[in-house]
Amino acid sequence: MVIATAVLTVGGLVTGYLLSRGREPHNPEPGISQGPSLLTTGPLCRPETQAMGEKAGAVGELRQVLRVRTESRTVVWICQDEAANLYYHANKGGGEAKWVENKTALFLAGVRHNDAGEFWAAAEDGAIFVVTADKLIITHEDGRAEEQDVVPE
């Protein structure tokens, strides 16, 4: 009985602490988290990404965590701000192609990652983007999945 009381007390204290800091005690997707452990000193992300990050409330400069080019010439950047928040920015046709936000380029905040090196981003239309060092997988709102291999640059 004493052990059960101690366990419940510690659990309640941890839950109370997390809630007081504005965090939920349980992650909605097991194994997926925001990016505090990724803090990077990578190169600065593109000026377009810096501008979109500022609009999205990014803290300080955005630095590159991952950059990949797919077989369809899409370039994806995963960037992190100084508070360890992650962002997704992609441009169809490559990094130097005409850059038109929400047409050829897509910026998404609230990116999550897991220990397997997968980065997850969700668009307003329900599309889910999963980026790894090897693949970009786009699951469209209708459930159709599109998989693009990463190519060397």
Side-chain angles (χ1 to χ4, degrees):
M1 184 71 138
V2 172
I3 293 173
T5 302
V7 168
L8 289 174
T9 301
V10 169
L13 289 171
V14 168
T15 300
Y17 172 76
L18 291 172
L19 290 173
S20 73
R21 298 201 49 180
R23 294 177 152 177
E24 293 181 18
H26 298 290
N27 207 336
E29 299 173 40
I32 307 292
S33 66
Q34 288 286 27
S37 63
L38 289 178
L39 285 174
T40 181
T41 57
L44 286 175
C45 289
R46 296 179 61 95
E48 297 90 345
T49 306
Q50 300 292 340
M52 291 302 293
E54 187 176 331
K55 289 179 184 177
V59 177
E61 295 179 315
L62 297 175
R63 294 204 170 262
Q64 186 175 300
V65 173
L66 179 68
R67 179 185 183 275
V68 295
R69 178 183 300 272
T70 70
E71 60 196 358
S72 69
R73 296 180 21 92
T74 295
V75 179
V76 178
W77 292 263
I78 300 295
C79 297
Q80 185 175 47
D81 71 10
E82 294 172 12
N85 299 305
L86 294 169
Y87 303 88
Y88 169 103
H89 212 175
N91 192 32
K92 295 178 185 177
E96 303 311 317
K98 185 174 182 181
W99 197 286
V100 181
E101 206 59 53
N102 295 318
K103 195 166 192 138
T104 66
L106 178 64
F107 179 88
L108 300 170
V111 173
R112 296 170 171 258
H113 80 283
N114 64 19
D115 294 337
E118 297 173 325
F119 295 88
W120 300 66
E124 288 182 17
D125 68 359
I128 303 292
F129 299 82
V130 179
V131 185
T132 69
D134 301 317
K135 294 197 179 302
L136 167 63
I137 303 168
I138 304 166
T139 304
H140 298 274
E141 183 181 14
D142 62 7
R144 179 177 43 91
E146 174 185 341
E147 190 171 307
Q148 300 176 21
D149 289 327
V150 168
V151 296
E153 295 197 57

